[in-house]
Structures are given as C-alpha cells and as structure tokens.
Amino acid sequence: MSVFEIIGELINPGQVGEIDLNDNGKNYHKKFINIRFAISLIILGLIEYLFLNQPKHYSDFGYILRVNAIIFIYLLISFKIRVRPNSENLGWVPFLIDNPFRISDDINRFLVIINVLFMPGKCVSTSISNFYKNVIKK
C-alpha cells in the first residue's frame, strides 16, 4: 500500500465488494440434479485418486482422514460463503493494471481470486445438497 493509495482513497473512495456468510445455495431444475450429482461424485473421486494414488498412502489411515477432512472443510466453506466483488472497481484496465490511487481495487481483485478458488467447491457442494434435498429427503 502506497501513500498515493491512502490519499486517493481519502479523496475519492471506491466501492468494495462483500463476502456473505449466509448463502443457502441454488436450487436447480429437477431433471439436472442427478446429472450434476454424478458429475460431482466423479470430480470428488478424481480428487481422491490424485491425493491417494501412491502405494504408501493405501494403508495410512491418518493421511486418508486428513485429506478427506480438508476436502470436507473446503466444500463446507464453499457452500456457506458467497463472494461478491464489485466488478466496476477492479483497476484501470479491469484486473490488469492497478489503480495507483485506490486500494479498494486491490481488495476487489482479492475477492475475485477468492471467488475463483471457491467456485468449483460451490458447484460440487450445491449439487450434493440439492441431491440430498430433492431425491433422498423426499
């Protein structure tokens, strides 16, 4: 953070996005719920395969438990948060050139990165949740 960013924010503050912690997820059309759930299970299976591929991890119960706990926590956080960056304040050429007179564009770019990191987990977790609500719970 430079002095120019502090002074620029004091003179002309920019809008900053937000992180909402009460996202309930979307409900999708009923005919796509089974397909999305199958794709999510395939993705989770591939992630498990990538982490547990080596023979030394086949019998290490602690490693398997840690990997599954990290995946579960990631999916839970992805399901619960909703990141909404302000897309009008991302820099001079959006996301490419930093505005040297505002720090709020740096915050919005950080929110975009967080949104990109949690987007795959949100897709997988909402499809699992919708499958549970609409197919199993019926």
Side-chain angles (χ1 to χ4, degrees), residues 14-121:
Q15 300 260 338
V16 178
E18 64 183 0
I19 297 177
D20 188 13
L21 297 176
N22 292 323
D23 188 25
N24 296 329
K26 285 197 236 178
N27 286 326
Y28 294 99
H29 200 273
K30 293 199 183 237
K31 68 179 180 180
F32 296 121
I33 290 175
N34 292 333
I35 296 169
R36 288 178 56 89
F37 181 70
I39 292 171
S40 296
L41 288 181
I42 291 169
I43 290 171
L44 285 175
L46 288 173
I47 291 171
E48 290 278 336
Y49 177 75
L50 289 174
F51 280 109
L52 304 173
N53 187 4
Q54 298 149 357
K56 65 180 178 179
H57 298 306
Y58 291 158
S59 61
D60 188 6
F61 184 71
Y63 181 77
I64 294 171
L65 189 63
R66 283 191 303 270
V67 167
N68 287 320
I70 290 170
I71 292 171
F72 178 75
I73 291 170
Y74 170 72
L75 290 176
L76 187 66
I77 292 171
S78 298
F79 182 72
K80 285 294 182 184
I81 70 168
R82 183 177 186 186
V83 181
R84 289 180 289 206
N86 186 355
S87 60
E88 295 176 0
N89 186 15
L90 291 174
W92 281 345
V93 177
F95 208 81
L96 295 177
I97 299 175
D98 182 31
N99 186 349
F101 303 109
R102 285 194 178 164
I103 194 164
S104 58
D105 67 329
D106 298 335
I107 296 169
N108 284 322
R109 279 189 286 196
F110 179 69
L111 290 175
V112 167
I113 291 170
I114 288 175
N115 194 16
V116 168
L117 288 176
F118 284 115
M119 197 176 301

